[in-house]
Amino acid sequence: MEVLITGGAGLLGARLARQLLERGTLADAQGKQTPISRITLLDVVPAQGFTDERIKIVTGDIADPKTIESVISPATQSIFHFAAIVSGHAEADFDLGMRINFDATRLILERARHNGNRPRVVFTSSVAVFGGDLPAKVPDTQVLTPQSSYGAQKVMGELLVTDYSRKGFIDGRALRMPTVCVRPGAPNKAASSFASGIIREPLNGVEAVCPVAPETPMWLLSPRYAINSLIHGHDIDGSAFGYSRALSLPGLATTVQEMVAALERVAGSNVVKRIRWERDDAIIKIVNSWPGNFDTKRGDAMGFKRDADFDSIVRAYVEDELKGQIAA
Amino acid sequence: MEVLITGGAGLLGARLARQLLERGTLADAQGKQTPISRITLLDVVPAQGFTDERIKIVTGDIADPKTIESVISPATQSIFHFAAIVSGHAEADFDLGMRINFDATRLILERARHNGNRPRVVFTSSVAVFGGDLPAKVPDTQVLTPQSSYGAQKVMGELLVTDYSRKGFIDGRALRMPTVCVRPGAPNKAASSFASGIIREPLNGVEAVCPVAPETPMWLLSPRYAINSLIHGHDIDGSAFGYSRALSLPGLATTVQEMVAALERVAGSNVVKRIRWERDDAIIKIVNSWPGNFDTKRGDAMGFKRDADFDSIVRAYVEDELKGQIAA
């Protein structure tokens, strides 16, 4: 079977590709584990570090129908659609957000529909679909009143994925990702960037700034569990989703304080001293608008797993990215 | 000020136009009642029966950017966007539903945005946004899991109206209409057509078929109250909507049995004998998927009004459409 990953050069896309190469199979349309013959990684920049001959690297504009036609054929049985304009960027450039987060999603679903092979489509949504008046613990039945263009565009994508699935055009799943932490690599412009930075930088011997209060609640998933959730979300039977193909993934509810305490337990007090606490009101405002905790009964019942605690998230980062070596 | 009504040849569009001509004013961008100089009625067929020189009748394809450019100018301060492909039709023709219910809505909002005058936009949504597992009485906080393409397209329209308003591009309001009853004129293909038919036909001396059980719950608004709600929804300050510009309008919760009992009280037992009870499983299935009752605290607090009882709805129909004359 052939697989497409959009955003294939990003953290989730590239990591998913590596895991699929190792694993070798995915559920086909009938739910049978089937060997993967091809993984196409589409992004605006070429995905790096792949030598496996099953990998095909494509660069292009995801909102251009020609690009989509070139990467989705009737042989494409699985589509992981991760490419997106992030929250802050979509808020600053409304048209670009609509084009990439909504129009490109629709193009992909239309192309899949017209191929007639009803591929499985995993669309990454976001907890940014929630906004406005929220309870401390957001239930699966929370009404969606997003307060950002990114959030609105993600809800619209969820609705398309659900309706295209209900009509039998595709077999879709829209998974709302917790903040993925610890992200390897450099900080980015996302307001959540600090969540990885305050762990990653100190472990690499670099100072990090924490712009929010210690008691700030966080809703997290490690890269390992994020990838496992995406594969599980792909492989389970679509009927498990019921009336909506959108699902809030189980995550780990913690606080910045607990994260730092876990870092100290795993790496020692010298490492933790590399965190400088320096409040940034702009970031605090955005982060405080996010729900910090969710009741994910539905996802739990569907077999999605979350990290046990933040200590194991720190340890997984040290194993996966630092080969076990912490900067003393 | 200039007003655009899409679906201007339909029941709500034409009736709203007549009421606006009589009333003479609407709230402008600053909330000040301002004389209406022009009402453009856009539809696929020409609106009938208007002689007032403030009325401009335009026919065209609402999903064609040229049509939209021709009817929305920087002088257009109010847009009532009613044009839609109805539920059954949008389910049978997915592409047409997306084109008219979603793409045309987006075109209108984009045109308004680029004019830069932040017009008030009243978008008619529907209780079809609700579906799946619903409580007997649907609250304002009900999560939306539409089970029809029409419902999904209406939710997407609501999200655009809310996000365009949040961004300051327009000042929008998305009002979820109860079933409008008693509709004058001929039966149509809507599954809800019987709700008007079982009242209208007997009052006109014609036999009507009731395809659903007497105990079927119904959520209704008379044309009078529907129009008043649309005008109120236009004129109130947008900030009253809070985090979402979408609102379930207050309606009258009743049953088919109570409707027929009211008809008998107003028009007598001979009229009621013209109803033939003949179950239609296809219609029963659709109608039973609709919520029959809503808790509309939010709309009530915002000053929206509903009919007091079904007797007054029957009387209003007899006054407005039959000049007080019931077929004996």
Side-chain angles (χ1 to χ4, degrees), chain B residues 94-151:
Chain B
F94 179 81
D95 294 308
L96 183 66
M98 284 297 290
R99 185 169 186 278
I100 303 300
N101 295 342
F102 179 73
D103 292 324
T105 301
R106 186 173 171 189
L107 266 183
I108 288 169
L109 299 184
E110 271 299 289
R111 174 70 175 168
R113 169 190 175 199
H114 286 286
N115 283 336
N117 65 331
R118 203 166 166 266
R120 294 192 182 213
V121 178
V122 177
F123 169 65
T124 41
S125 186
S126 162
V127 295
V129 298
F130 300 104
D133 285 321
L134 293 174
K137 196 165 184 175
V138 174
D140 287 317
T141 54
Q142 181 66 40
V143 64
L144 306 182
T145 53
Q147 298 302 306
S148 66
S149 295
Y150 176 78

CSV table of all heavy atoms in Angstrom, one decimal, chain B residues 94-151:
chain,number,residue,atom,x,y,z
B,94,PHE,N,-24.1,16.6,-3.2
B,94,PHE,CA,-23.1,17.1,-2.3
B,94,PHE,C,-22.4,18.3,-2.9
B,94,PHE,O,-22.2,19.3,-2.2
B,94,PHE,CB,-22.1,16.0,-2.0
B,94,PHE,CG,-21.0,16.4,-1.1
B,94,PHE,CD1,-21.2,16.4,0.3
B,94,PHE,CD2,-19.7,16.8,-1.6
B,94,PHE,CE1,-20.2,16.9,1.2
B,94,PHE,CE2,-18.7,17.2,-0.7
B,94,PHE,CZ,-18.9,17.2,0.7
B,95,ASP,N,-22.0,18.3,-4.1
B,95,ASP,CA,-21.3,19.4,-4.7
B,95,ASP,C,-22.1,20.7,-4.8
B,95,ASP,O,-21.6,21.8,-4.5
B,95,ASP,CB,-20.7,19.0,-6.1
B,95,ASP,CG,-19.7,17.9,-6.1
B,95,ASP,OD1,-18.8,18.0,-5.3
B,95,ASP,OD2,-19.9,16.9,-6.8
B,96,LEU,N,-23.3,20.5,-5.1
B,96,LEU,CA,-24.2,21.7,-5.2
B,96,LEU,C,-24.4,22.3,-3.8
B,96,LEU,O,-24.4,23.5,-3.6
B,96,LEU,CB,-25.6,21.3,-5.8
B,96,LEU,CG,-26.6,22.5,-6.0
B,96,LEU,CD1,-26.1,23.5,-7.0
B,96,LEU,CD2,-27.9,21.9,-6.4
B,97,GLY,N,-24.6,21.4,-2.8
B,97,GLY,CA,-24.7,21.9,-1.4
B,97,GLY,C,-23.5,22.7,-1.0
B,97,GLY,O,-23.6,23.8,-0.4
B,98,MET,N,-22.3,22.1,-1.2
B,98,MET,CA,-21.1,22.8,-0.9
B,98,MET,C,-21.0,24.2,-1.6
B,98,MET,O,-20.6,25.2,-1.0
B,98,MET,CB,-19.8,22.0,-1.2
B,98,MET,CG,-19.6,20.8,-0.3
B,98,MET,SD,-19.2,21.3,1.5
B,98,MET,CE,-17.6,22.1,1.3
B,99,ARG,N,-21.4,24.2,-2.8
B,99,ARG,CA,-21.2,25.4,-3.7
B,99,ARG,C,-22.2,26.5,-3.2
B,99,ARG,O,-21.7,27.7,-3.0
B,99,ARG,CB,-21.6,25.0,-5.1
B,99,ARG,CG,-21.3,26.1,-6.1
B,99,ARG,CD,-21.4,25.6,-7.6
B,99,ARG,NE,-21.1,26.6,-8.5
B,99,ARG,CZ,-22.0,27.5,-8.9
B,99,ARG,NH1,-23.2,27.5,-8.5
B,99,ARG,NH2,-21.6,28.5,-9.8
B,100,ILE,N,-23.4,26.2,-2.9
B,100,ILE,CA,-24.4,27.2,-2.5
B,100,ILE,C,-24.3,27.5,-1.0
B,100,ILE,O,-24.3,28.6,-0.6
B,100,ILE,CB,-25.8,26.8,-3.0
B,100,ILE,CG1,-25.9,26.5,-4.5
B,100,ILE,CG2,-26.8,27.8,-2.5
B,100,ILE,CD1,-25.5,27.7,-5.4
B,101,ASN,N,-24.3,26.4,-0.2
B,101,ASN,CA,-24.4,26.6,1.2
B,101,ASN,C,-23.1,27.1,1.8
B,101,ASN,O,-23.1,27.8,2.8
B,101,ASN,CB,-24.9,25.3,1.9
B,101,ASN,CG,-26.3,24.9,1.5
B,101,ASN,OD1,-27.1,25.8,0.9
B,101,ASN,ND2,-26.7,23.7,1.7
B,102,PHE,N,-22.0,26.6,1.3
B,102,PHE,CA,-20.7,27.1,1.8
B,102,PHE,C,-20.0,28.1,1.0
B,102,PHE,O,-19.7,29.2,1.4
B,102,PHE,CB,-19.8,25.8,2.1
B,102,PHE,CG,-18.5,26.3,2.7
B,102,PHE,CD1,-18.5,26.7,4.0
B,102,PHE,CD2,-17.4,26.3,2.0
B,102,PHE,CE1,-17.3,27.2,4.6
B,102,PHE,CE2,-16.2,26.8,2.5
B,102,PHE,CZ,-16.1,27.2,3.8
B,103,ASP,N,-19.7,27.7,-0.3
B,103,ASP,CA,-18.8,28.6,-1.1
B,103,ASP,C,-19.5,30.0,-1.3
B,103,ASP,O,-18.8,31.0,-1.3
B,103,ASP,CB,-18.5,28.0,-2.4
B,103,ASP,CG,-17.6,26.7,-2.3
B,103,ASP,OD1,-16.7,26.8,-1.4
B,103,ASP,OD2,-17.8,25.8,-3.0
B,104,ALA,N,-20.8,30.0,-1.5
B,104,ALA,CA,-21.4,31.3,-1.8
B,104,ALA,C,-21.4,32.1,-0.5
B,104,ALA,O,-21.2,33.4,-0.5
B,104,ALA,CB,-22.9,31.1,-2.2
B,105,THR,N,-21.6,31.5,0.7
B,105,THR,CA,-21.5,32.2,1.9
B,105,THR,C,-20.1,32.8,2.1
B,105,THR,O,-20.0,34.0,2.5
B,105,THR,CB,-21.8,31.2,3.1
B,105,THR,OG1,-23.1,30.7,2.9
B,105,THR,CG2,-21.7,31.9,4.5
B,106,ARG,N,-19.1,32.0,1.8
B,106,ARG,CA,-17.7,32.6,1.9
B,106,ARG,C,-17.5,33.7,0.9
B,106,ARG,O,-16.9,34.7,1.3
B,106,ARG,CB,-16.7,31.4,1.6
B,106,ARG,CG,-15.3,31.8,1.9
B,106,ARG,CD,-14.5,30.5,1.7
B,106,ARG,NE,-13.0,30.8,1.7
B,106,ARG,CZ,-12.1,29.9,1.4
B,106,ARG,NH1,-12.5,28.6,1.2
B,106,ARG,NH2,-10.8,30.2,1.5
B,107,LEU,N,-18.0,33.6,-0.3
B,107,LEU,CA,-17.9,34.7,-1.3
B,107,LEU,C,-18.5,36.0,-0.7
B,107,LEU,O,-17.9,37.1,-0.9
B,107,LEU,CB,-18.7,34.3,-2.6
B,107,LEU,CG,-17.9,33.7,-3.7
B,107,LEU,CD1,-18.9,33.5,-4.9
B,107,LEU,CD2,-16.7,34.5,-4.2
B,108,ILE,N,-19.7,35.9,-0.2
B,108,ILE,CA,-20.4,37.0,0.4
B,108,ILE,C,-19.6,37.7,1.5
B,108,ILE,O,-19.4,38.9,1.5
B,108,ILE,CB,-21.8,36.6,0.9
B,108,ILE,CG1,-22.7,36.3,-0.3
B,108,ILE,CG2,-22.4,37.7,1.8
B,108,ILE,CD1,-24.0,35.7,0.0
B,109,LEU,N,-19.0,36.9,2.4
B,109,LEU,CA,-18.3,37.4,3.5
B,109,LEU,C,-17.0,38.0,3.0
B,109,LEU,O,-16.6,39.1,3.5
B,109,LEU,CB,-18.0,36.3,4.5
B,109,LEU,CG,-19.2,35.6,5.2
B,109,LEU,CD1,-18.8,34.6,6.2
B,109,LEU,CD2,-20.1,36.6,5.8
B,110,GLU,N,-16.3,37.4,2.0
B,110,GLU,CA,-15.1,37.9,1.5
B,110,GLU,C,-15.3,39.3,0.8
B,110,GLU,O,-14.6,40.2,0.9
B,110,GLU,CB,-14.5,37.0,0.4
B,110,GLU,CG,-13.6,36.0,1.0
B,110,GLU,CD,-12.4,36.6,1.7
B,110,GLU,OE1,-11.5,37.1,0.9
B,110,GLU,OE2,-12.3,36.6,2.9
B,111,ARG,N,-16.4,39.4,0.0
B,111,ARG,CA,-16.8,40.6,-0.7
B,111,ARG,C,-17.0,41.7,0.4
B,111,ARG,O,-16.5,42.8,0.2
B,111,ARG,CB,-18.0,40.4,-1.5
B,111,ARG,CG,-18.5,41.6,-2.2
B,111,ARG,CD,-17.6,42.1,-3.3
B,111,ARG,NE,-18.3,43.3,-4.0
B,111,ARG,CZ,-17.6,44.1,-4.8
B,111,ARG,NH1,-16.4,43.9,-5.1
B,111,ARG,NH2,-18.2,45.1,-5.4
B,112,ALA,N,-17.8,41.4,1.4
B,112,ALA,CA,-18.0,42.3,2.5
B,112,ALA,C,-16.7,42.8,3.1
B,112,ALA,O,-16.5,44.0,3.4
B,112,ALA,CB,-19.0,41.7,3.5
B,113,ARG,N,-15.9,41.8,3.4
B,113,ARG,CA,-14.6,42.1,4.1
B,113,ARG,C,-13.8,43.1,3.2
B,113,ARG,O,-13.2,44.1,3.7
B,113,ARG,CB,-13.8,40.8,4.2
B,113,ARG,CG,-12.4,41.0,4.6
B,113,ARG,CD,-11.7,39.6,4.6
B,113,ARG,NE,-10.2,39.7,4.8
B,113,ARG,CZ,-9.3,38.8,4.5
B,113,ARG,NH1,-9.7,37.7,3.8
B,113,ARG,NH2,-8.1,39.0,4.7
B,114,HIS,N,-13.7,42.8,1.9
B,114,HIS,CA,-12.9,43.7,1.1
B,114,HIS,C,-13.4,45.1,0.8
B,114,HIS,O,-12.7,46.0,0.5
B,114,HIS,CB,-12.5,42.9,-0.2
B,114,HIS,CG,-11.5,41.8,0.1
B,114,HIS,ND1,-10.2,42.1,0.3
B,114,HIS,CD2,-11.6,40.5,0.2
B,114,HIS,CE1,-9.5,41.0,0.6
B,114,HIS,NE2,-10.3,40.0,0.5
B,115,ASN,N,-14.7,45.2,1.0
B,115,ASN,CA,-15.3,46.5,0.9
B,115,ASN,C,-14.9,47.4,2.1
B,115,ASN,O,-15.0,48.6,2.1
B,115,ASN,CB,-16.9,46.5,0.8
B,115,ASN,CG,-17.3,46.1,-0.6
B,115,ASN,OD1,-16.6,46.3,-1.5
B,115,ASN,ND2,-18.5,45.5,-0.7
B,116,GLY,N,-14.6,46.8,3.2
B,116,GLY,CA,-14.0,47.5,4.4
B,116,GLY,C,-15.0,48.3,5.2
B,116,GLY,O,-14.7,49.0,6.1
B,117,ASN,N,-16.4,48.1,5.0
B,117,ASN,CA,-17.4,48.9,5.7
B,117,ASN,C,-18.0,48.1,6.8
B,117,ASN,O,-19.0,48.5,7.4
B,117,ASN,CB,-18.4,49.4,4.7
B,117,ASN,CG,-19.2,48.3,4.1
B,117,ASN,OD1,-18.7,47.2,3.9
B,117,ASN,ND2,-20.5,48.6,3.8
B,118,ARG,N,-17.5,46.9,7.1
B,118,ARG,CA,-18.0,46.0,8.2
B,118,ARG,C,-19.5,46.0,8.3
B,118,ARG,O,-20.1,46.4,9.3
B,118,ARG,CB,-17.4,46.6,9.5
B,118,ARG,CG,-17.4,45.5,10.6
B,118,ARG,CD,-16.5,45.9,11.8
B,118,ARG,NE,-16.7,45.1,12.9
B,118,ARG,CZ,-17.6,45.3,13.9
B,118,ARG,NH1,-18.2,46.5,13.9
B,118,ARG,NH2,-17.7,44.5,14.9
B,119,PRO,N,-20.2,45.5,7.2
B,119,PRO,CA,-21.7,45.4,7.2
B,119,PRO,C,-22.2,44.4,8.3
B,119,PRO,O,-21.5,43.5,8.7
B,119,PRO,CB,-22.0,45.0,5.8
B,119,PRO,CG,-20.8,44.2,5.4
B,119,PRO,CD,-19.6,44.9,6.0
B,120,ARG,N,-23.4,44.6,8.7
B,120,ARG,CA,-24.1,43.6,9.5
B,120,ARG,C,-24.5,42.5,8.5
B,120,ARG,O,-25.1,42.8,7.5
B,120,ARG,CB,-25.3,44.2,10.2
B,120,ARG,CG,-24.9,45.2,11.2
B,120,ARG,CD,-26.0,45.6,12.2
B,120,ARG,NE,-25.5,46.6,13.1
B,120,ARG,CZ,-25.9,46.8,14.3
B,120,ARG,NH1,-26.8,46.0,14.8
B,120,ARG,NH2,-25.3,47.7,15.1
B,121,VAL,N,-24.3,41.2,8.9
B,121,VAL,CA,-24.6,40.1,8.1
B,121,VAL,C,-25.5,39.2,8.9
B,121,VAL,O,-25.0,38.7,9.9
B,121,VAL,CB,-23.4,39.4,7.5
B,121,VAL,CG1,-23.8,38.1,6.7
B,121,VAL,CG2,-22.5,40.3,6.7
B,122,VAL,N,-26.7,38.9,8.5
B,122,VAL,CA,-27.6,37.9,9.2
B,122,VAL,C,-27.6,36.7,8.3
B,122,VAL,O,-28.1,36.7,7.1
B,122,VAL,CB,-29.0,38.5,9.4
B,122,VAL,CG1,-29.9,37.4,10.0
B,122,VAL,CG2,-28.9,39.7,10.2
B,123,PHE,N,-27.1,35.6,8.8
B,123,PHE,CA,-27.0,34.3,8.1
B,123,PHE,C,-28.0,33.4,8.7
B,123,PHE,O,-27.9,33.1,9.9
B,123,PHE,CB,-25.5,33.8,8.2
B,123,PHE,CG,-25.3,32.4,7.7
B,123,PHE,CD1,-25.5,32.0,6.4
B,123,PHE,CD2,-24.9,31.4,8.6
B,123,PHE,CE1,-25.2,30.7,6.0
B,123,PHE,CE2,-24.7,30.1,8.2
B,123,PHE,CZ,-24.8,29.8,6.8
B,124,THR,N,-28.9,32.8,7.9
B,124,THR,CA,-29.8,31.8,8.5
B,124,THR,C,-29.2,30.4,8.6
B,124,THR,O,-28.8,29.8,7.5
B,124,THR,CB,-31.1,31.7,7.7
B,124,THR,OG1,-30.8,31.7,6.3
B,124,THR,CG2,-32.1,32.9,8.0
B,125,SER,N,-29.0,30.0,9.8
B,125,SER,CA,-28.6,28.6,10.0
B,125,SER,C,-29.8,27.8,10.4
B,125,SER,O,-30.9,28.2,10.1
B,125,SER,CB,-27.5,28.6,11.1
B,125,SER,OG,-27.0,27.3,11.2
B,126,SER,N,-29.5,26.6,10.9
B,126,SER,CA,-30.6,25.6,11.0
B,126,SER,C,-30.4,24.7,12.2
B,126,SER,O,-29.3,24.5,12.6
B,126,SER,CB,-30.6,24.8,9.7
B,126,SER,OG,-31.4,23.6,9.9
B,127,VAL,N,-31.5,24.2,12.7
B,127,VAL,CA,-31.4,23.1,13.8
B,127,VAL,C,-30.8,21.9,13.2
B,127,VAL,O,-30.4,21.0,14.0
B,127,VAL,CB,-32.7,22.9,14.4
B,127,VAL,CG1,-33.2,24.1,15.2
B,127,VAL,CG2,-33.8,22.4,13.5
B,128,ALA,N,-30.6,21.8,11.9
B,128,ALA,CA,-29.9,20.6,11.3
B,128,ALA,C,-28.4,20.6,11.7
B,128,ALA,O,-27.7,19.7,11.4
B,128,ALA,CB,-30.0,20.6,9.8
B,129,VAL,N,-27.9,21.7,12.3
B,129,VAL,CA,-26.5,21.6,12.8
B,129,VAL,C,-26.4,20.6,14.0
B,129,VAL,O,-25.3,20.2,14.3
B,129,VAL,CB,-26.0,23.0,13.4
B,129,VAL,CG1,-26.0,24.0,12.2
B,129,VAL,CG2,-26.8,23.5,14.5
B,130,PHE,N,-27.6,20.3,14.6
B,130,PHE,CA,-27.6,19.3,15.7
B,130,PHE,C,-27.9,17.9,15.1
B,130,PHE,O,-28.6,17.8,14.1
B,130,PHE,CB,-28.7,19.6,16.7
B,130,PHE,CG,-28.5,21.0,17.3
B,130,PHE,CD1,-29.3,22.1,16.9
B,130,PHE,CD2,-27.5,21.2,18.3
B,130,PHE,CE1,-29.1,23.3,17.5
B,130,PHE,CE2,-27.3,22.4,18.9
B,130,PHE,CZ,-28.1,23.5,18.5
B,131,GLY,N,-27.3,16.9,15.7
B,131,GLY,CA,-27.5,15.5,15.2
B,131,GLY,C,-26.8,14.6,16.1
B,131,GLY,O,-26.1,15.0,17.0
B,132,GLY,N,-27.0,13.3,15.9
B,132,GLY,CA,-26.4,12.3,16.7
B,132,GLY,C,-27.1,12.2,18.1
B,132,GLY,O,-28.3,12.2,18.1
B,133,ASP,N,-26.3,12.0,19.1
B,133,ASP,CA,-26.9,11.8,20.5
B,133,ASP,C,-27.3,13.1,21.0
B,133,ASP,O,-26.5,14.0,21.4
B,133,ASP,CB,-25.8,11.2,21.4
B,133,ASP,CG,-25.6,9.7,21.2
B,133,ASP,OD1,-26.6,9.0,20.9
B,133,ASP,OD2,-24.4,9.3,21.2
B,134,LEU,N,-28.7,13.3,21.1
B,134,LEU,CA,-29.2,14.6,21.6
B,134,LEU,C,-30.1,14.4,22.8
B,134,LEU,O,-30.8,13.4,22.8
B,134,LEU,CB,-30.0,15.3,20.4
B,134,LEU,CG,-29.2,15.7,19.2
B,134,LEU,CD1,-30.1,16.3,18.2
B,134,LEU,CD2,-28.2,16.8,19.6
B,135,PRO,N,-30.0,15.3,23.7
B,135,PRO,CA,-31.0,15.2,24.8
B,135,PRO,C,-32.4,15.6,24.3
B,135,PRO,O,-32.5,16.3,23.3
B,135,PRO,CB,-30.4,16.2,25.8
B,135,PRO,CG,-29.7,17.2,25.0
B,135,PRO,CD,-29.2,16.5,23.8
B,136,ALA,N,-33.4,15.3,25.1
B,136,ALA,CA,-34.8,15.7,24.7
B,136,ALA,C,-34.9,17.2,24.6
B,136,ALA,O,-35.7,17.7,23.7
B,136,ALA,CB,-35.8,15.2,25.8
B,137,LYS,N,-34.2,17.9,25.4
B,137,LYS,CA,-34.2,19.4,25.3
B,137,LYS,C,-32.8,19.9,25.1
B,137,LYS,O,-31.9,19.7,25.9
B,137,LYS,CB,-34.8,20.0,26.6
B,137,LYS,CG,-35.2,21.4,26.5
B,137,LYS,CD,-36.1,21.8,27.7
B,137,LYS,CE,-36.6,23.2,27.6
B,137,LYS,NZ,-37.5,23.6,28.6
B,138,VAL,N,-32.5,20.4,23.9
B,138,VAL,CA,-31.2,20.7,23.5
B,138,VAL,C,-30.7,22.1,24.0
B,138,VAL,O,-31.4,23.1,23.8
B,138,VAL,CB,-31.1,20.8,21.9
B,138,VAL,CG1,-29.7,21.2,21.5
B,138,VAL,CG2,-31.4,19.4,21.4
B,139,PRO,N,-29.7,22.1,24.8
B,139,PRO,CA,-29.2,23.4,25.4
B,139,PRO,C,-28.4,24.2,24.4
B,139,PRO,O,-27.9,23.7,23.4
B,139,PRO,CB,-28.4,22.9,26.6
B,139,PRO,CG,-27.8,21.6,26.1
B,139,PRO,CD,-28.8,21.0,25.2
B,140,ASP,N,-28.1,25.5,24.8
B,140,ASP,CA,-27.3,26.3,24.0
B,140,ASP,C,-25.9,25.8,23.9
B,140,ASP,O,-25.1,26.2,23.0
B,140,ASP,CB,-27.2,27.7,24.6
B,140,ASP,CG,-28.6,28.5,24.4
B,140,ASP,OD1,-29.1,28.4,23.3
B,140,ASP,OD2,-29.0,29.1,25.4
B,141,THR,N,-25.5,25.0,24.9
B,141,THR,CA,-24.1,24.5,24.9
B,141,THR,C,-24.0,23.1,24.3
B,141,THR,O,-22.9,22.4,24.5
B,141,THR,CB,-23.7,24.4,26.4
B,141,THR,OG1,-24.6,23.6,27.1
B,141,THR,CG2,-23.6,25.7,27.1
B,142,GLN,N,-25.0,22.7,23.5
B,142,GLN,CA,-24.9,21.4,22.8
B,142,GLN,C,-23.7,21.3,21.8
B,142,GLN,O,-23.6,22.2,21.0
B,142,GLN,CB,-26.2,21.1,22.1
B,142,GLN,CG,-26.3,19.7,21.5
B,142,GLN,CD,-26.2,18.6,22.4
B,142,GLN,OE1,-26.8,18.6,23.5
B,142,GLN,NE2,-25.5,17.6,22.1
B,143,VAL,N,-22.9,20.3,21.9
B,143,VAL,CA,-21.9,20.1,20.9
B,143,VAL,C,-22.5,19.8,19.6
B,143,VAL,O,-23.6,19.1,19.5
B,143,VAL,CB,-20.9,19.0,21.3
B,143,VAL,CG1,-21.5,17.6,21.4
B,143,VAL,CG2,-19.7,18.9,20.4
B,144,LEU,N,-22.0,20.3,18.5
B,144,LEU,CA,-22.6,20.1,17.1
B,144,LEU,C,-22.0,18.9,16.4
B,144,LEU,O,-20.8,18.9,16.1
B,144,LEU,CB,-22.4,21.4,16.3
B,144,LEU,CG,-22.8,22.7,16.9
B,144,LEU,CD1,-22.6,23.8,16.0
B,144,LEU,CD2,-24.3,22.6,17.4
B,145,THR,N,-22.8,17.9,16.2
B,145,THR,CA,-22.4,16.7,15.4
B,145,THR,C,-23.4,16.5,14.3
B,145,THR,O,-24.2,15.5,14.4
B,145,THR,CB,-22.2,15.5,16.3
B,145,THR,OG1,-23.4,15.2,17.0
B,145,THR,CG2,-21.0,15.6,17.2
B,146,PRO,N,-23.5,17.4,13.3
B,146,PRO,CA,-24.5,17.3,12.3
B,146,PRO,C,-24.4,15.9,11.5
B,146,PRO,O,-23.3,15.4,11.3
B,146,PRO,CB,-24.2,18.4,11.3
B,146,PRO,CG,-22.7,18.8,11.6
B,146,PRO,CD,-22.5,18.5,13.0
B,147,GLN,N,-25.5,15.4,11.2
B,147,GLN,CA,-25.6,14.1,10.5
B,147,GLN,C,-26.1,14.3,9.1
B,147,GLN,O,-26.8,13.4,8.5
B,147,GLN,CB,-26.4,13.1,11.3
B,147,GLN,CG,-25.8,12.8,12.7
B,147,GLN,CD,-24.4,12.2,12.6
B,147,GLN,OE1,-24.1,11.3,11.9
B,147,GLN,NE2,-23.4,12.9,13.2
B,148,SER,N,-25.9,15.4,8.5
B,148,SER,CA,-26.3,15.7,7.1
B,148,SER,C,-25.3,16.7,6.5
B,148,SER,O,-24.6,17.4,7.3
B,148,SER,CB,-27.7,16.3,7.0
B,148,SER,OG,-27.7,17.6,7.6
B,149,SER,N,-25.1,16.7,5.2
B,149,SER,CA,-24.2,17.6,4.6
B,149,SER,C,-24.7,19.0,4.8
B,149,SER,O,-23.9,20.0,5.0
B,149,SER,CB,-24.0,17.3,3.1
B,149,SER,OG,-23.4,16.0,3.0
B,150,TYR,N,-26.0,19.2,4.7
B,150,TYR,CA,-26.6,20.5,4.9
B,150,TYR,C,-26.2,21.0,6.3
B,150,TYR,O,-25.8,22.2,6.4
B,150,TYR,CB,-28.1,20.4,4.8
B,150,TYR,CG,-28.9,21.6,5.1
B,150,TYR,CD1,-29.0,22.6,4.2
B,150,TYR,CD2,-29.6,21.7,6.3
B,150,TYR,CE1,-29.8,23.8,4.4
B,150,TYR,CE2,-30.4,22.8,6.6
B,150,TYR,CZ,-30.5,23.9,5.6
B,150,TYR,OH,-31.2,25.0,5.9
B,151,GLY,N,-26.4,20.2,7.3
B,151,GLY,CA,-26.0,20.6,8.7
B,151,GLY,C,-24.6,20.9,8.8
B,151,GLY,O,-24.2,22.0,9.4
